[in-house]
Amino acid sequence: MPDSAESRSVQKFVKTQEEIMKEYKPFKSGKVREVYDAGDSIIMVATDRISAFDHILKNKITQKGEVLTQMSKFWFDLTADIVPNHMISVDNKDMPEFFQQPQFQGNSMMCKKLTMLPMECIVRGYITGSGWESYQENGTVCGIKLPEGLKESQQLPEPIFTPSTKAELGDHDINVSFEEGVKYVEKEFPGKGLEYMTMMRDATIAIYKKCAAYAREHGIIIADTKFEFGIDENGTFMIGDEMLTPDSSRFWPLEGYEAGKSQPSYDKQFVRDWLKANPDSDYLLPDEIIDKTIAKYKEAYALLSGKEL
């Protein structure tokens, strides 16, 4: 006896409820992101966690995950002409029902599955942070000899590529030379070490130059940042992970910029500075620092994208 319309409606409702109730578990949980397998794609969820000095802090920064996801989307769109990226959608309606719950709104990105290359691709356009400390000691940054007489926070004659290995949570990344990076990648991708390192270096510099110029026109200096790249199922080289967020970059206000001193920032350097000044904090931030941090993140997003969250 064929199903009645009412029976089919009930079956459809039950199926829908089963899909909604299907609980996805992250297969990867990083310092900030949780990654879920959605079959043909992955769902990257940027949490409100914040990390500094290789520790996850005890506080959460409300809306931080949304800022990171929407910022990455903005930059992926802007640089698609330079290198393809893994973004499919940030619209939760395109994702499995499970990710249409409120806690995933705005902070989730559906992405292509990539085999990630084992390298943090760091680019420095200005001398600051650990680079400045190294330069003061021996005139180099990550083994790269720089001109004499540079001041703190000064723009470099040309951006420099300073890759590092990817560390597990709690470990430190290790800076490597281009040649060392070739050998490192070669171990995982035999016969491809030089090719992939060259592609990563060239894409890193090209993306940085375009985005740094754009940001400067909108009142922000991108002092440095890091990218991650991967290979899709068809062998296409593309950028993955996050892109030019306040978590992965140093953003400085152009207004008031002056070489020779440290700069105020739109990124989590604000948190790092507070932690350095309060070594007994046990990685617990006061409410005032939390509020100022998310305000900085939102301000940077508004300046760059022209939109308010």
Side-chain angles (χ1 to χ4, degrees):
M1 183 176 179
D3 291 339
S4 66
E6 181 180 358
S7 175
R8 289 195 298 273
S9 178
V10 170
Q11 290 173 357
K12 182 178 181 182
F13 175 77
V14 171
K15 182 181 178 183
T16 301
Q17 287 298 102
E18 288 175 351
E19 290 173 350
I20 292 174
M21 295 307 292
K22 179 181 178 182
E23 185 175 354
Y24 286 78
K25 297 284 188 182
F27 69 86
K28 181 181 179 182
S29 187
K31 296 172 185 174
V32 172
R33 281 171 182 74
E34 293 182 343
V35 187
Y36 300 78
D37 190 335
D40 293 337
S41 61
I42 60 171
I43 309 294
M44 285 181 50
V45 179
T47 71
D48 289 341
R49 296 192 297 265
I50 189 166
S51 70
F53 304 119
D54 296 312
H55 283 79
I56 297 173
L57 276 60
K58 295 181 178 179
N59 310 85
K60 289 188 177 180
I61 310 294
T62 305
Q63 274 195 291
K64 175 176 170 287
E66 185 178 358
V67 174
L68 298 186
T69 298
Q70 300 306 319
M71 185 83 83
S72 288
K73 178 191 183 302
F74 173 78
W75 292 118
F76 283 144
D77 287 338
L78 188 71
T79 59
D81 61 326
I82 296 177
V83 63
N85 60 71
H86 70 161
M87 179 178 67
I88 298 172
S89 177
V90 295
D91 187 341
N92 297 74
K93 293 176 183 176
D94 296 332
M95 304 176 196
E97 294 272 357
F98 178 78
F99 298 99
Q100 295 176 29
Q101 300 179 74
Q103 66 265 36
F104 298 111
Q105 296 292 326
N107 64 349
S108 304
M109 181 180 289
M110 176 181 274
C111 303
K112 298 173 185 175
K113 288 184 172 180
L114 301 182
T115 300
M116 299 304 291
L117 299 172
M119 199 62 57
E120 298 270 0
C121 294
I122 300 164
V123 55
R124 304 169 190 262
Y126 293 73
I127 188 163
T128 186
S130 61
W132 171 242
E133 293 172 5
S134 173
Y135 177 77
Q136 287 179 293
E137 289 178 8
N138 53 34
T140 69
V141 173
C142 299
I144 299 173
K145 184 70 176 176
L146 295 179
E148 295 181 5
L150 294 178
K151 299 177 181 178
E152 182 180 6
S153 304
Q154 185 171 340
Q155 185 173 15
L156 298 173
E158 281 291 324
I160 57 174
F161 178 62
T162 59
S164 72
T165 60
K166 294 181 184 179
E168 295 298 321
L169 184 61
D171 293 334
H172 291 284
D173 297 338
I174 300 173
N175 295 325
V176 294
S177 67
F178 181 86
E179 292 73 21
E180 290 168 334
V182 169
K183 294 176 183 177
Y184 193 81
V185 175
E186 183 74 20
K187 290 178 183 177
E188 194 167 328
F189 298 89
K192 294 286 190 176
L194 177 59
E195 178 185 351
Y196 284 163
M197 275 299 292
T198 301
M199 292 170 77
M200 285 189 281
R201 179 196 62 197
D202 293 351
T204 294
I205 297 295
I207 292 169
Y208 173 78
K209 283 184 173 181
K210 177 173 183 174
C211 295
Y214 173 91
R216 196 176 182 94
E217 291 173 358
H218 291 77
I220 289 180
I221 291 171
I222 302 175
D224 53 38
T225 191
K226 69 99 176 167
F227 304 122
E228 294 188 34
F229 297 91
I231 308 296
D232 75 359
E233 59 182 1
N234 299 314
T236 303
F237 173 81
M238 59 180 60
I239 190 166
D241 197 57
E242 65 182 320
M243 186 175 185
L244 284 162
T245 70
D247 266 17
S248 64
S249 319
R250 281 191 177 93
F251 291 163
W252 298 337
L254 178 60
E255 185 177 355
Y257 165 74
E258 183 182 353
K261 59 181 183 180
S262 63
Q263 308 296 313
S265 67
Y266 287 106
D267 52 60
K268 66 179 180 180
Q269 190 62 36
F270 193 70
V271 172
R272 293 190 194 102
D273 290 345
W274 187 88
L275 289 171
K276 280 185 178 181
N278 296 271
D280 298 326
S281 65
D282 195 27
Y283 296 98
L284 183 65
L285 302 173
D287 289 344
E288 177 190 6
I289 298 300
I290 294 173
D291 293 343
K292 287 182 177 179
T293 299
I294 191 58
K296 287 288 185 185
Y297 276 48
K298 287 183 175 180
E299 184 182 348
Y301 176 76
L303 281 171
L304 292 167
S305 71
K307 300 177 182 177
E308 300 282 346
L309 283 179

